[in-house]
Amino acid sequence: MVTREKLENNQVWLYVIVLLVAAGFGLVAPNLGAKLDVTISLVIAILMYSMFSQIPFTSLKESFANRRFIWALLTVNFVAVPVVVWLLARFLPDYPPLLLGVYLVLLTPCIDYVIVFTALGRGNEKIILISTPILFITQMLLLPLYLILFIGSEAVTIVDPAPFLEAFLGLIVIPLGLAIALQIIAKKSRAGIRMIDLSAWLPVPFMALTLFVVVASQIGKVSADINLIIKVIPIYIAFMIIMPFISKVIAKWFKLDIGSGRALIFSGSTRNSLVVLPLALALPDTMNTLVAAIIVTQTIVELAVELMYIRLVPNFIMRKTTN
């Protein structure tokens, strides 16, 4: 019998299989794959709602209970990460659409499957779960500022505000509003609780479905940009090698316990690709395919490295020492 726990614990392997199948489908039948374009917005909107419904927004006060961890989390994701990303970007061509894709995905910390990876890596997944509202709100506020700081005024000219705001409203604000409304209802109604429980089944299958429709519909279009896409892969790998050790230093600086320190490592290294993907797809037609491909490439690299993280973090990077 498939339980939600089994589904969540095996989601990484599901995503790997889906990515391989989607890539094969998109390459073998590119015209058919391209027709999946029309489903992307709907699938992502449902995915966003399902993920937001599991974030404890109505318990926001609890997020501030462990202030030491929160300050460490904010330091890693919004001070250390931007510095590392800016330095790594010096090794990329000075091509704004390419840089925009890299900045979009690397500057936004994950708020969904990082919780599962943290649990698999024997970290404190509960502290990450409680902190997700702060992470989400902070990254949405700071992302535009970082883009202007790193790309300059070109960031404003690249991003057409109308479709960008439309995507943000339809794929983030509305699903977020529905999720928060449902959480408020769940505090007063059993029907609301049942809806929350039902929604908890959706993130994994809809994450897999999103990966499928995005990769299958986009992979046939990226051949012209393959040289640019290949150049970002070493940057993504370098990021995932560097960040665990920086996060470890910051964890020690803030005197976090082992479980919280591991959680910090996973948060600092795992990025928010599927939340920023709708923003990439809202870009002008001349660049949205490239930016989306750069973001999906990060997801593929990340999933492969996370499979190593769940062994390396507890056994080597942050081991439990015995006195």
Side-chain angles (χ1 to χ4, degrees):
M1 180 180 176
V2 177
T3 64
R4 205 175 83 205
E5 186 178 357
K6 284 183 180 178
L7 191 63
E8 290 176 348
N9 288 340
N10 291 287
Q11 64 178 292
V12 179
W13 295 109
L14 174 63
Y15 300 154
V16 171
I17 293 168
V18 167
L19 284 168
L20 293 173
V21 172
F25 179 79
L27 291 172
V28 171
N31 292 333
L32 193 58
K35 292 179 180 178
L36 293 174
D37 259 347
V38 297
T39 68
I40 291 176
S41 293
L42 177 61
V43 171
I44 290 180
I46 297 172
L47 172 67
M48 293 296 103
Y49 157 75
S50 68
M51 292 193 307
F52 293 152
S53 69
Q54 304 310 303
I55 297 174
F57 288 103
T58 56
S59 302
L60 191 57
K61 288 183 180 178
E62 294 179 32
S63 302
F64 295 96
N66 190 335
R67 293 185 180 180
R68 186 183 298 171
F69 178 76
I70 292 301
W71 281 114
L73 193 69
L74 295 175
T75 301
V76 165
N77 283 298
F78 302 111
V79 179
V81 166
V83 171
V84 170
V85 170
W86 185 84
L87 290 172
L88 289 175
R90 302 307 95 201
F91 296 95
L92 290 171
D94 187 16
Y95 183 50
L98 173 72
L99 294 173
L100 180 61
V102 171
Y103 289 144
L104 273 174
V105 71
L106 290 187
L107 291 172
T108 49
C110 184
I111 57 169
D112 39 78
Y113 56 64
V114 66
I115 299 163
V116 175
F117 285 131
T118 302
L120 293 174
R122 287 181 270 166
N124 186 344
E125 75 277 14
K126 292 179 182 177
I127 202 169
I128 283 287
L129 174 63
I130 292 173
S131 304
T132 48
I134 292 174
L135 277 181
F136 177 72
I137 293 167
T138 306
Q139 66 185 267
M140 287 297 106
L141 290 174
L142 291 182
L143 181 59
L145 299 177
Y146 283 131
L147 292 180
I148 293 171
L149 182 64
F150 290 174
I151 301 180
S153 57
E154 287 183 78
V156 179
T157 58
I158 287 173
V159 180
D160 183 0
F164 201 77
L165 289 173
E166 184 181 334
F168 186 73
L169 177 67
L171 301 180
I172 293 180
V173 175
I174 291 176
L176 177 63
L178 289 173
I180 293 174
L182 184 60
Q183 289 181 25
I184 293 170
I185 293 169
K187 284 186 172 290
K188 303 173 183 178
S189 162
R190 288 185 179 179
I193 294 172
R194 285 196 293 270
M195 282 295 295
I196 290 283
D197 290 340
L198 181 62
S199 299
W201 281 85
L202 299 179
V204 174
F206 272 89
M207 181 85 79
L209 185 58
T210 300
L211 289 172
F212 181 84
V213 297
V214 170
V215 173
S217 64
Q218 302 299 316
I219 196 166
K221 305 175 186 177
V222 301
S223 57
D225 299 312
I226 194 67
N227 290 335
L228 288 173
I229 292 168
I230 288 173
K231 289 179 180 178
V232 304
I233 294 176
I235 300 301
Y236 292 151
I237 294 173
F239 177 85
M240 296 201 75
I241 291 172
I242 293 167
M243 281 314 303
F245 297 99
I246 291 178
S247 300
K248 180 181 178 179
V249 170
I250 293 173
K252 288 186 175 180
W253 184 23
F254 282 92
K255 299 179 181 178
L256 301 183
D257 59 72
I258 292 292
S260 298
R262 290 171 182 168
L264 190 69
I265 288 172
F266 278 98
S267 179
S269 307
T270 311
R271 302 292 89 193
N272 212 0
S273 56
L274 292 180
V275 170
V276 296
L277 186 58
L279 306 183
L281 294 171
L283 291 167
D285 291 340
T286 53
M287 68 177 70
N288 61 9
T289 298
L290 172 61
V291 176
I294 288 170
I295 291 172
V296 172
T297 300
Q298 190 276 336
T299 303
I300 296 169
V301 172
E302 182 173 86
L303 288 173
V305 178
E306 292 283 355
L307 293 175
M308 293 184 274
Y309 271 5
I310 59 177
R311 303 289 183 190
L312 293 173
V313 171
N315 295 319
F316 297 99
I317 298 174
M318 187 160 278
R319 289 187 299 173
K320 183 176 285 188
T321 55
T322 54
N323 295 324

